[in-house]
Amino acid sequence: MREWSGDTVTGLTSRAADIRDAKRVLEVVQEARPEWIVLAAAYTDVDGCESKPELAFAVNRDGAVNVAAAAKQVGAGLVFLSSDYVFDGTKTTPYEIGDARNPQSVYGRTKAEAELRLLELMPDCCIVRTSWLFGVGGKCFPDTILKLAASRPALDVVEDQRGSPTYAEDLSRAIIQLCRMNATGIVHATNAGDCSWFEFAEEIVSRAGLGTAVRPVSSRQMARPAPRPAYSVLSPGRLRALGIEMPSWRDALRRYMEQRERTS
Ligand SMILES: NC(=O)c1ccc[n+]([C@@H]2O[C@H](COP(=O)([O-])OP(=O)(O)OC[C@H]3O[C@@H](n4cnc5c(N)ncnc54)[C@H](OP(=O)(O)O)[C@@H]3O)[C@@H](O)[C@H]2O)c1
């Protein structure tokens, strides 16, 4: 909402409209009569989704269907935020938009099923897959690392998962451009370049000028309830073809850290 200028933008919280409530969703959409709806709301606790699959599917898949149905009813376009976790992570080169979905976690399945349902219901919707989001004002990986690094002499960080960190500000700009050009279909939008969580943490600690040691560990050593893809880099081919280039994740991290400093 901060990035979008020149148009009227209505932001809705989960209290204003729980996307599981189809009737309420339709009401708020009919009230606002938007040209575009950006659906970023989701149950995003990837480990929580494993123990609460019903909630996960109700919000991430069925809630998305409710929003798409309302969008269709008022003739609004829809951008749906999806995830690199729809892939299994077995590739070693960037995932293309047409690569087969094969999610390994409940969260990934909710997003993959939502994509399929939305494409059926609203073939001209726009599905934006992104990954490893970070931004000022919310809980995110760089914020966690900075807080931990300030109080610990060493941090263990997973080195066998590779992806592309993405600054929410850069993703927002890409989404706004996609709306303005009436983009449809699947688009991958992440910051350029890739790294492991370990390399990401090293860059964060070094940029902050902290002396904390960052030690590489394997996913097996840091077992979590939900499996994560070992490799989930998303090819920017379609985004580029639409004329949109995303900055590198290192540049994005620099801007995030400056912004974090300014707002702290
Ligand atoms: N974070 C990542 O690395 C990442 C990667 C790939 C894709 N994505 C996708 O990008 C989008 C944004 O992710 P994020 O990490 O910014 O999410 P987030 O910080 O967890 O925010 C999700 C929002 O969804 C709202 N929400 C949850 N359940 C809802 C419901 N039933 N009805 C209405 N709103 C509901 C939450 O509201 P409350 O706080 O009030 O519950 C919260 O404001 C999501 O669709 C996510 O799946 C994220």
Side-chain angles (χ1 to χ4, degrees):
M1 289 192 65
R2 275 199 305 267
E3 289 301 316
W4 207 314
S5 59
D7 297 299
T8 306
V9 187
T10 308
L12 292 168
T13 64
S14 59
R15 255 202 292 168
D18 187 316
I19 59 172
R20 290 171 295 178
D21 182 346
K23 193 166 154 267
R24 178 69 190 139
V25 167
L26 183 59
E27 249 169 42
V28 294
V29 169
Q30 276 177 331
E31 217 168 281
R33 290 258 152 202
E35 273 174 67
W36 275 92
I37 296 174
V38 178
L39 177 56
Y43 177 44
T44 58
D45 178 349
V46 175
D47 292 323
C49 286
E50 294 296 312
S51 52
K52 294 182 188 150
E54 274 172 28
L55 174 64
F57 279 103
V59 177
N60 295 354
R61 180 194 58 199
D62 306 340
V65 168
N66 292 339
V67 176
K72 207 171 157 177
Q73 189 132 344
V74 302
L78 175 69
V79 172
F80 172 66
L81 268 290
S82 188
S83 164
D84 53 335
Y85 285 17
V86 299
F87 296 120
D88 60 17
T90 54
K91 270 187 90 175
T92 51
T93 55
Y95 279 92
E96 302 294 338
I97 55 170
D99 280 338
R101 300 170 186 88
N102 187 22
Q104 300 297 297
S105 59
V106 171
Y107 170 77
R109 275 172 40 218
T110 65
K111 287 289 183 180
E113 289 189 21
E115 287 189 3
L116 291 169
R117 297 279 284 274
L118 293 198
L119 287 169
E120 224 175 77
L121 183 71
M122 208 180 166
D124 58 351
C125 72
C126 183
I127 293 174
V128 177
R129 293 191 188 129
T130 190
S131 62
W132 295 25
L133 284 182
F134 62 96
V136 174
K139 190 173 166 249
C140 63
F141 183 79
D143 186 61
T144 304
I145 291 293
L146 287 167
K147 283 181 179 149
L148 290 176
S151 62
R152 291 190 194 173
L155 299 176
D156 292 340
V157 185
V158 168
E159 64 149 356
D160 54 2
Q161 288 168 28
R162 229 178 157 74
S164 300
T166 304
Y167 189 21
E169 219 175 88
D170 291 337
L171 176 64
S172 307
R173 288 195 190 120
I175 289 172
I176 293 164
Q177 282 177 274
L178 289 168
C179 289
R180 291 197 166 136
M181 66 177 70
N182 286 319
T184 63
I186 300 173
V187 183
H188 289 168
T190 69
N191 276 123
D194 57 81
C195 59
S196 66
W197 290 113
F198 163 70
E199 289 164 348
F200 192 17
E202 266 195 322
E203 181 79 11
I204 295 162
V205 169
S206 125
R207 277 204 172 273
L210 297 165
T212 317
V214 183
R215 298 180 302 217
V217 294
S218 70
S219 309
R220 228 183 311 156
Q221 284 170 279
M222 302 278 263
R224 308 269 291 272
R228 268 77 173 167
Y231 179 92
S232 65
V233 181
L234 302 176
S235 165
R238 170 100 207 284
L239 194 71
R240 276 204 189 126
L242 291 166
I244 303 173
E245 283 284 340
M246 302 267 291
S248 77
W249 69 263
R250 285 180 201 275
D251 179 68
L253 178 64
R254 176 186 57 76
R255 286 178 285 119
Y256 161 81
M257 288 177 70
E258 284 170 4
Q259 177 76 6
R260 186 177 182 272
E261 195 63 38
R262 274 198 298 274
T263 53
S264 67

